[in-house]
Amino acid sequence: MLGVIYFQRKDYVSALKYFRKADKILPDDFTTLMYILDAQLGLNDKKSVATTIKIFNLELGHPAICKSLTDSYIRAGKAYDLISFFLNRIQYFSFDDMSLGTIYYYLGDLYREIKLSIKAQMAYVKAKELLQKAGYDDDEIYRSIDDYLDNPN
């Protein structure tokens, strides 16, 4: 609770102190790790890379995890850092169309955020192809992709 109060006040150093204590009590709790990451990103702390890896590895390629990471990095103005992270992870998922499709989908979101529309389009097309191949049946995701591809600006 104290960590959240300090975090809301943008006192990331104090917030981290309490979030780390919480992480020792309940290790690998997704919410706590996301607060740790957000505080680290706010401080430009290089440990954010290790925290990102830890969060990503909680459940490899899970859409909710990829979305949360994407949201955090965009809020922090560090989309390029997460793009690099995701691009480095692609090689490990050649066997898993669902996870790979998820990564490409969120790469599309990141490219879109930084106004690289051609790369966003390419990432979304690849995401759609992989997700369909994996049998993913969320029409909302496909509509989202198609809407962007129809009107990328």
Side-chain angles (χ1 to χ4, degrees), residues 42-105:
L43 293 168
N44 292 315
D45 186 339
K46 293 187 187 307
K47 292 178 185 174
S48 63
V49 174
T51 304
T52 300
I53 292 168
K54 191 172 187 179
I55 292 167
F56 187 79
N57 288 341
L58 289 174
E59 193 169 340
L60 296 173
H62 191 281
I65 288 174
C66 290
K67 178 173 181 11
S68 294
L69 290 171
T70 299
D71 292 345
S72 289
Y73 274 83
I74 287 173
R75 265 193 315 274
K78 299 180 184 308
Y80 286 102
D81 294 342
L82 191 60
I83 288 170
S84 294
F85 175 81
F86 281 158
L87 289 174
N88 286 326
R89 293 296 173 263
I90 286 173
Q91 64 185 322
Y92 302 110
F93 290 97
S94 60
F95 60 91
D96 182 354
D97 291 333
M98 180 68 83
S99 295
L100 200 52
T102 299
I103 291 169
Y104 274 105
Y105 179 82

